[in-house]
Amino acid sequence: MTSDTTAHASATTPHTFQVDLRGLVDLLSHHLYSSPRVYLRELLQNAVDAITARQSEFPGAPGRVRLSVDAGRLRVEDSGIGLTEADLHSLLATIGRSSKRPGAEGIASARTEFLGQFGIGLLACFVVASEIRVVSRSARTADAPPVEWSARDDGSYTVRTLPADARPQPGTTVELIARPGSADWLAEERVYALARDFGRLLPYDIKVGDRAVTELPAPWERAHPSPSARRVALAAHCNELFGFSPLDSIDLSVPVAGVRGVAYVLPSSVSPAQRSGHRVHLKGMLLTERADELLPEWAFFVRCVIDTDSLRPTASRESLYEDETLAIVREALGERIREWLTGLAAGDPERLAQFLTVHHLGVKSLARHDTEMLRTMLPWLPFETTEGSVSLEEFAQRHPVVHYTQSVEEFRQVAPIAAAQGIGVVNGGYTYDAELVGKLPAVRPGTTVSELDADTVTAHLDSVDPADELALAPFLAAARSRLDPLGCDVALRAFHPLTVPALHLDDRAARHERARAEAEEEAGELWAGILGSLRGSAPRARLVLNHLNPLVRRISTLPDAELAATATEALYGQALLMAQRPLRPADSALLNRAFIGLLEWATHDRENGR
């Protein structure tokens, strides 16, 4: 063999990775698992998988798990398939190898029934333990002797064969010795609470001491003497899990998707951005309490708990893997909630009204993408209008032309005037409302929808007698001159209620043009030229003075032109405040100037004895 050949052979010689167990434990505890509490889930998963494996080979084999705590030690004993000495070396000393791998010792047919991997799951227990001892006896080999695997968190382990009487029956016992600072995780009450949380839906006989862990059948599958008794039982279950009494419960049985469970309707409104906190069990074992991706985004008004055998967990088994199956399940669960809403609309309008009082926002979010749901909910969904809070169906019956505003401020400034003039306006400034009003013609043919603008409102106001308007021409010219720097015109109309002296109308087009003009003033020469080229013909904001208002009549006939102009500024500021619009610096300066001016006029007259 030449030296080149020798060098090439040396270069391709395979090597085996070495694993630092302390580093692995740190990785598990700080990066893979969210909390040390998952150590108990791993122990339960190993026990349940072992029992599943044994029953798949030996039908009728016992399914029993016992947990006991004594002086900082936790023992978990199961009646599962057990391990041989070769298994101990293969599965517990080789990271990532699974006792459930395809073709492993004849149990590949049961692969889908298993929850986890024995090796990595057991090593995760080093998060709370300094030493782990496993005593096991295989059920597959007749007269197989018990074997012991004992390991420490420094990475060392020993394997030995025990006398036959050390474990007479097949199965496995895992014993943990608490590491310093982790004794609380192995206290009996903590172990029981964790076992209940993770394992209450597991299909086997599991106890901590003498206390049962499992409660089967699941709460949503239990028989009850009446529907009302079932509602009471589910409400108690919701209170235990989530800490609230639900408005209602929704069955989430979707057999084709392998999902069983229940959704609880929150008794108070929540933000759509709030995290959902759904609980997902995988084949009975709690997988996560924060499955935010389980339901469609619009279903933020429910919290649900399900058991599934079709969804895939992530590597940490604390969340769901986003794949096509999860998308199908999400759509199926969303459809169940849609059906519940439709059922309420058809058969229980009182409960639907109670629900919508709290959660109309969630239903509006759904109706944006579901035309049929919008059609179903039209008689029930509340909208703020010039006639109060009414449904779109009721409002459209009274107003074939439905006007709407894009903002709350626009609605507030025109609502009293529009109502007095008989104009039907919907406040579209709330979340989803403008979008839903825009969809109204599609679900209610014959209805016309139009965004309200300043011209529409002004056109519905009564004109002033030409002779009266001509007489007031000097006052109007002075008022327009005073408000022109603010980008506001002045008009004179007669409208009700006459207690409103002035109305500030400012639609989106006018605000856009004003913002462009302000930016042009502040920009450099180059940008000013560009912004100037974008100048539009959009109407400016306008202050509509009410000729029926006595105060406006008196101001318009003041002989002092400067005082009349100051009073006009005050009317402008008052109209802005009534509309609850944000004030620009120029508006604030005007308000301050008008206030000081009126005070100076009042005190000057008093000093002169007038």
Side-chain angles (χ1 to χ4, degrees):
M1 179 180 297
T2 66
S3 59
D4 289 343
T5 305
T6 303
H8 179 74
S10 175
T12 58
T13 300
H15 300 279
T16 302
F17 283 105
Q18 300 299 311
V19 177
D20 179 358
L21 186 57
R22 290 184 187 275
L24 177 63
V25 171
D26 179 74
L27 178 66
L28 294 175
S29 60
H30 293 101
H31 302 285
L32 185 61
Y33 297 127
S34 61
S35 165
R37 71 195 297 267
V38 299
Y39 87 90
L40 194 68
R41 184 196 63 194
E42 300 295 344
L43 291 174
L44 287 177
Q45 283 186 348
N46 287 336
V48 168
D49 285 345
I51 293 171
T52 301
R54 184 175 180 184
Q55 291 185 347
S56 69
E57 293 191 44
F58 307 100
R64 182 180 63 253
V65 181
R66 295 291 182 266
L67 297 90
S68 59
V69 177
D70 182 27
R73 294 172 179 254
L74 170 64
R75 288 169 55 91
V76 181
E77 183 175 359
D78 67 64
S79 59
I81 194 68
L83 300 169
T84 63
E85 182 175 347
D87 293 334
L88 290 177
H89 284 289
S90 174
L91 302 177
L92 299 185
T94 305
I95 305 303
R97 182 170 295 171
S98 172
S99 60
K100 281 74 70 174
R101 62 192 183 280
E105 305 188 28
I107 60 171
S109 61
R111 178 70 177 86
T112 59
E113 300 301 318
F114 298 127
L115 299 173
Q117 290 191 331
F118 186 82
I120 193 68
L122 187 62
L123 290 179
C125 295
F126 278 119
V127 171
V128 297
S130 63
E131 186 175 342
I132 302 175
R133 180 171 176 263
V134 177
V135 175
S136 188
R137 184 168 190 165
S138 176
R140 295 194 184 97
T141 305
D143 301 324
V147 291
E148 177 193 72
W149 179 87
S150 181
R152 303 182 62 84
D153 59 2
D154 61 6
S156 62
Y157 74 95
T158 61
V159 176
R160 62 181 180 132
T161 301
L162 301 179
D165 58 359
R167 182 176 180 89
Q169 299 298 324
T172 300
T173 300
V174 179
E175 182 177 61
L176 305 187
I177 300 176
R179 65 190 309 154
S182 297
D184 287 348
W185 288 105
L186 271 62
E188 183 169 351
E189 287 305 315
R190 175 70 70 90
V191 169
Y192 178 70
L194 292 176
R196 284 270 299 162
D197 203 31
F198 285 119
R200 70 175 66 194
L201 298 184
L202 290 171
Y204 301 122
D205 174 21
I206 303 175
K207 291 183 178 180
V208 176
D210 295 328
R211 292 183 287 181
V213 168
T214 52
E215 290 183 354
L216 295 177
W220 51 85
E221 294 176 341
R222 295 173 192 166
H224 297 278
S226 66
S228 60
R230 185 174 188 269
R231 280 197 297 269
V232 170
L234 288 177
H237 177 245
C238 176
N239 224 329
E240 179 186 0
L241 286 186
F242 299 113
F244 65 84
S245 297
L247 281 179
D248 205 349
S249 56
I250 308 169
D251 285 318
L252 296 180
S253 178
V254 188
V256 69
V259 172
R260 307 154 297 279
V262 62
Y264 294 114
V265 181
L266 291 161
S268 57
S269 59
V270 295
S271 165
Q274 183 172 321
R275 298 178 68 84
S276 301
H278 306 302
R279 292 173 63 96
V280 175
H281 294 254
L282 180 61
K283 303 180 180 70
M285 181 73 73
L286 178 65
L287 182 70
T288 179
E289 300 171 282
R290 301 184 301 276
D292 305 323
E293 67 277 26
L294 184 65
L295 294 182
E297 290 184 1
W298 55 261
F300 53 82
F301 51 84
V302 299
R303 299 290 179 268
C304 67
V305 51
I306 67 165
D307 187 24
T308 176
D309 53 20
S310 63
L311 299 178
R312 290 174 55 197
T314 58
S316 66
R317 296 196 291 282
E318 293 186 278
S319 59
L320 297 172
Y321 188 81
E322 187 69 48
D323 58 8
E324 184 178 358
T325 302
L326 178 57
I328 293 172
V329 168
R330 184 187 299 123
E331 179 59 33
L333 296 181
E335 184 59 33
R336 286 293 300 114
I337 298 174
R338 286 189 188 92
E339 291 172 359
W340 171 77
L341 284 169
T342 304
L344 287 186
D348 199 340
E350 185 175 337
R351 266 206 301 167
L352 178 63
Q354 180 187 12
F355 166 77
L356 289 177
T357 300
V358 180
H359 295 300
H360 59 274
L361 192 60
V363 179
K364 287 181 177 180
S365 176
L366 167 60
R368 295 159 57 218
H369 308 291
D370 190 325
T371 302
E372 191 57 40
M373 180 57 63
L374 177 58
R375 183 179 288 107
T376 301
M377 290 292 131
L378 271 183
W380 310 103
L381 283 175
F383 287 77
E384 184 180 2
T385 74
T386 47
E387 297 181 0
S389 180
V390 298
S391 71
L392 275 184
E393 175 66 28
E394 182 180 354
F395 193 74
Q397 287 177 357
R398 301 174 190 170
H399 300 278
V401 178
V402 177
H403 296 281
Y404 69 96
T405 63
Q406 284 284 359
S407 70
V408 175
E409 291 80 7
E410 288 178 38
F411 179 80
R412 286 171 177 166
Q413 70 176 339
V414 303
I417 312 303
Q421 309 304 315
I423 309 174
V425 184
V426 178
N427 185 354
Y430 296 115
T431 306
Y432 310 132
D433 283 11
E435 186 176 352
L436 291 176
V437 173
K439 293 179 177 294
L440 192 56
V443 296
R444 198 179 190 279
T447 303
T448 301
V449 171
S450 174
E451 183 177 351
L452 189 68
D453 56 25
D455 288 335
T456 302
V457 177
T458 305
H460 280 78
L461 304 181
D462 293 333
S463 299
V464 178
D465 183 89
D468 291 338
E469 188 164 5
L470 182 62
L472 297 177
F475 163 73
L476 293 176
R480 291 180 181 122
S481 175
R482 184 59 65 97
L483 297 184
D484 182 69
L486 298 172
C488 183
D489 289 331
V490 178
L492 185 67
R493 294 288 188 276
F495 55 86
H496 292 275
L498 57 83
T499 54
V500 178
L503 174 66
H504 183 267
L505 297 178
D506 188 17
D507 54 28
R508 285 189 303 161
R511 288 196 299 274
H512 175 75
E513 175 62 20
R514 187 168 61 250
R516 186 210 58 77
E518 292 173 354
E520 182 180 353
E521 289 179 2
E522 299 174 1
E525 182 178 349
L526 173 62
W527 282 108
I530 295 175
L531 290 170
S533 68
L534 299 176
R535 183 180 296 113
S537 59
R540 303 200 304 168
R542 68 193 68 174
L543 181 69
V544 183
L545 300 177
N546 188 359
H547 189 56
L548 299 180
N549 182 267
L551 177 61
V552 172
R553 285 175 176 270
R554 288 197 296 270
I555 292 173
S556 64
T557 57
L558 285 172
D560 187 334
E562 183 62 29
L563 177 59
T566 300
T568 301
E569 290 180 336
L571 288 175
Y572 172 84
Q574 187 264 353
L576 282 180
L577 294 175
M578 290 298 294
Q580 301 183 40
R581 304 192 67 83
L583 297 181
R584 299 172 296 163
D587 297 329
S588 299
L590 176 142
L591 274 173
N592 183 64
R593 184 172 65 247
F595 178 72
I596 296 298
L598 291 175
L599 283 179
E600 288 178 346
W601 175 81
T603 54
H604 179 269
D605 277 3
R606 182 175 295 275
E607 289 174 354
N608 287 275
R610 295 168 58 186

